[in-house]
Amino acid sequence: VQIVQSGAELRKPGASLRISCKTSGYTFSSSSMHWVRQAPGQRLEWMGWINHVNGNIKYSEKFLGRITITRDTSANTTYMDLTALTSADTAMYYCAKQGAQWLAYLDSWGQGTLVTVSS
Amino acid sequence: EIVLTQSPATLSVSPGEGASLSCRASQGVHTNFAWYQQKPGQSPRLLIYGASVRATGVPARFGGSGSETEFTLTIDTLQSEDSAVYYCQQYDIWPWTFGQGTKVEIK
């Protein structure tokens, strides 16, 4: 299993960003992909996930209205869009594959995408 | 949301000794529980899921136990490469949550 994320991003407050997460080595449509972030010195924080089996998407309430998770099944790629960025969104963002269909532990992680929000 | 509280915050252990890390959940999560290891500059790595099942490739010196609200990660015969931050995670009730981490230092 390989999960490769897009590169570091620098954004100004109020801007938006898109992070991509390209996978290989397993059947893309057989699992779910999660988005987790880690602000400096903070614990890991779940943002949302997409079930590639049935297309269902779930977001953490904290990010509702700002986050959109989409996919391109032909490219085995998942995307996470985040809008209305503030300095509090400065963090490392990870996508991670779910380990089993109905159990949301994460058995493979991308390398992370560092997002810096600064004017 | 379920709050996971890990203790201790930092653990300093000599090579060859054992370590015991604790995680307490604010409400019962059955055994829908995992442990991760994160080394500096790296992504988290799954160690344990189902509270006690070692993930593929994880050395046998790592063990997990517990259910509902009390969970423990034990590391037998610590090695220098075990220096890392360890996080617990519950996946019983959405939103899934993580603990704040325990830093294991090797003396």
Side-chain angles (χ1 to χ4, degrees):
Chain A
V1 175
Q2 275 203 315
I3 301 175
V4 179
Q5 299 182 221
S6 48
E9 301 276 10
L10 174 62
R11 291 286 187 274
K12 294 187 185 304
S16 301
L17 68 82
R18 165 171 283 197
I19 301 173
S20 66
C21 173
K22 184 171 178 59
T23 63
S24 61
Y26 72 100
T27 304
F28 182 78
S29 59
S30 68
S31 186
S32 297
M33 189 65 70
H34 296 248
W35 290 91
V36 176
R37 76 177 187 181
Q38 187 172 35
Q42 302 297 311
R43 71 180 68 191
L44 296 158
E45 180 178 36
W46 229 288
M47 302 181 70
W49 57 286
I50 179 168
N51 184 332
H52 288 311
V53 177
N54 57 23
N56 287 346
I57 300 170
K58 198 164 182 70
Y59 302 125
S60 168
E61 280 193 15
K62 177 175 179 177
F63 300 99
L64 279 177
R66 292 206 301 138
I67 187 173
T68 305
I69 296 174
T70 57
R71 63 179 177 171
D72 179 350
T73 54
S74 67
N76 288 355
T77 300
T78 308
Y79 301 93
M80 192 279 292
D81 294 327
L82 193 62
T83 63
L85 295 169
T86 72
S87 58
D89 294 314
T90 294
M92 183 71 80
Y93 289 74
Y94 296 100
C95 60
K97 171 185 161 293
Q98 184 165 312
Q101 186 170 356
W102 305 113
L103 301 172
Y105 58 88
L106 305 178
D107 67 352
S108 297
W109 293 64
Q111 82 278 17
T113 296
L114 181 62
V115 173
T116 304
V117 182
S118 174
S119 55
Chain B
E1 80 180 32
I2 293 177
V3 176
L4 299 181
T5 303
Q6 293 186 239
S7 61
T10 304
L11 195 57
S12 187
V13 187
S14 298
E17 292 184 343
S20 183
L21 287 64
S22 175
C23 184
R24 176 171 293 177
S26 58
Q27 63 187 84
V29 297
H30 304 98
T31 55
N32 294 315
F33 195 86
W35 291 95
Y36 299 84
Q37 175 193 66
Q38 187 177 33
K39 298 181 180 180
Q42 296 186 15
S43 304
R45 170 199 180 195
L46 177 68
L47 293 178
I48 301 286
Y49 63 94
S52 62
V53 182
R54 270 192 306 276
T56 302
V58 173
R61 65 179 182 274
F62 290 92
S65 62
S67 66
E68 300 299 347
T69 62
E70 298 283 345
F71 298 88
T72 301
L73 175 70
T74 54
I75 312 174
D76 296 330
T77 318
L78 265 151
Q79 300 184 10
S80 57
E81 62 261 34
D82 299 333
S83 178
V85 179
Y86 293 82
Y87 293 96
C88 58
Q89 177 233 329
Q90 66 82 20
Y91 49 92
D92 191 65
I93 296 173
W94 177 256
W96 324 134
T97 49
F98 290 92
Q100 83 279 18
T102 290
K103 185 176 183 179
V104 173
E105 298 176 338
I106 309 299
K107 290 180 184 175

